[in-house]
Amino acid sequence: MDHIKIFSPATVANVSCGFDVLGFCLDTIGDEMIIKKTVQKGIIISKIEGYNLPFEVKKNVAGVSALAIYNDAKPDFGFDIEIYKNIKPGSGVGSSSASAAGSVFAINELLGRPYNKTQLTKFAMKGEALASNCEHADNLAPALFGGFTLVKNLSPLQIVQLPTPNELFAVVIHPQIEIKTSESRAILPKEVSLNNAITQWANVGSLVHALHTEDYKLISESLNDVIVEPHRSKLIPYFSDVKQTAINSGALGTGISGSGPSIFSLCKGIDSANKVMDAIKNLYSKTEIAFEMYVSKINTEGIKIL
Ligand code: HSE
């Protein structure tokens, strides 16, 4: 095999209570990438469509993660990367992760799969760090593993795959404003109260249990964030109206997707998801802010070869 075309999906990090540790993978939105082996050694990015991103390898997240795996594998050939970007940078659904994970996944395939998914996540973290000024894997892990993931530990990297209840659907609204991850991390407090920590870790524990037992009621009761959402929600216009509308329309829970501005809701069944989407659409259409919306089943496969 001398070239490969892949679909690298969008992801929702944090999942309300699991800041920097939980995430899940979306199905309907993602980037496409074509990676080719080249006789010339090294990494080049020859094409970027969709958004204006740097071609310079060391300034592009897909390039930086590609270099990480390339420098470790040391093949006697190189790679040419084409990026067809559909996920808007700064939208909160793992745009940088899709690029960072996509290039390492594809290069691993072209090398004959010498690395496992945890090792690929580690390489991809180098690219993600360029976008958010810190290494974290809560978007990368669901993109590479699919489904719900928990980043148990960063060093050594340990990722736990969680089960995906079959009837779970996500509704995502993306208000067309940009929030930089680095900026939305900068506004967070460095310390949290013991009371809030207790509430939060109880919610993470019960959400993990609820995913294992397909307990939709407990999923709903666990989708609460008392630590990050109170701060970040101020950056997202009409966040509390969207949340209230979604819950009133039957969503199991609603929260900020990653570092925002996208807002996700989890719903039981496609009919419920469509109802929640219509209600949010109706609400947001009355505001001055343009937006995009989609419904997605949880993608249990992650990145796939096209
Ligand atoms: N966990 C990260 C955050 C995800 O919320 O800042 C965004 O990259």
Side-chain angles (χ1 to χ4, degrees):
M1 188 160 59
D2 62 0
H3 73 281
I4 187 170
K5 184 175 183 187
I6 58 150
F7 170 77
S8 194
T11 46
V12 171
N14 302 337
V15 201
S16 290
C17 51
F19 179 68
D20 271 3
V21 298
L22 287 176
F24 65 81
C25 189
L26 294 167
D27 214 11
T28 39
I29 173 158
D31 298 340
E32 289 183 6
M33 297 171 88
I34 296 174
I35 320 269
K36 297 177 196 147
K37 281 188 191 172
T38 56
V39 176
Q40 181 101 23
K41 281 192 177 187
I43 304 285
I44 57 163
I45 299 172
S46 63
K47 201 177 212 183
I48 303 175
E49 284 185 4
Y51 291 96
N52 196 7
L53 293 166
F55 279 81
E56 199 179 320
V57 172
K58 285 186 178 158
K59 290 189 177 160
N60 182 299
V61 293
V64 170
S65 59
L67 274 179
I69 184 170
Y70 180 81
N71 289 336
D72 194 83
K74 299 184 183 61
D76 57 7
F77 46 87
F79 296 98
D80 173 336
I81 303 174
E82 295 178 12
I83 305 169
Y84 299 88
K85 200 114 195 88
N86 293 312
I87 316 171
K88 189 170 188 250
S91 55
V93 286
S95 177
S96 52
S97 293
S99 295
S103 65
V104 296
F105 174 91
I107 288 174
N108 189 49
E109 292 293 317
L110 293 174
L111 290 171
R113 285 194 207 156
Y115 299 105
N116 65 32
K117 287 185 176 178
T118 302
Q119 291 170 309
L120 295 185
T121 308
K122 194 90 198 149
F123 294 129
M125 281 166 68
K126 300 291 174 208
E128 177 74 71
L130 180 71
S132 56
N133 286 347
C134 83
E135 286 193 10
H136 55 94
D138 52 341
N139 282 112
L140 293 167
L144 282 157
F145 287 80
F148 280 82
T149 53
L150 173 95
V151 181
K152 162 79 178 71
N153 205 45
L154 279 180
S155 187
L157 183 62
Q158 198 180 350
I159 292 158
V160 179
Q161 281 188 273
L162 301 171
T164 301
N166 199 32
E167 290 181 83
L168 219 44
F169 284 80
V171 178
V172 179
I173 174 163
H174 172 206
Q176 302 289 292
I177 58 167
E178 186 180 344
I179 296 181
K180 288 206 161 65
T181 299
S182 50
E183 286 164 18
S184 71
R185 291 182 83 83
I187 63 162
L188 298 179
K190 298 286 169 278
E191 288 173 6
V192 300
S193 75
L194 185 59
N195 271 348
N196 279 348
I198 292 167
T199 304
Q200 200 87 347
W201 62 54
N203 281 329
V204 174
S206 61
L207 179 56
V208 168
H209 179 74
L211 293 173
H212 276 276
T213 53
E214 302 212 6
D215 184 339
Y216 292 90
K217 183 165 174 285
L218 190 59
I219 290 175
S220 178
E221 289 162 352
S222 309
L223 288 171
N224 282 311
D225 172 9
V226 295
I227 292 178
V228 175
E229 188 178 293
H231 299 279
R232 283 186 168 170
S233 57
K234 294 175 194 151
L235 303 175
I236 304 172
Y238 309 104
F239 174 80
S240 53
D241 297 323
V242 169
K243 183 165 178 164
Q244 203 52 55
T245 299
I247 302 294
N248 290 348
S249 310
L252 299 170
T254 294
I256 301 168
S257 176
S259 54
S262 290
I263 303 167
F264 80 96
S265 300
L266 282 174
C267 301
K268 184 182 180 188
I270 184 70
D271 291 345
S272 171
N274 283 330
K275 190 172 165 208
V276 167
M277 177 158 97
D278 288 345
I280 298 174
K281 200 180 266 179
N282 189 33
L283 169 88
Y284 229 82
S285 303
K286 295 185 185 124
T287 77
E288 70 287 9
I289 299 166
F291 64 96
E292 281 175 2
M293 284 203 78
Y294 40 92
V295 167
S296 171
K297 198 159 172 44
I298 312 303
N299 170 356
T300 52
E301 196 182 345
I303 298 175
K304 55 187 162 223
I305 300 170
L306 296 175

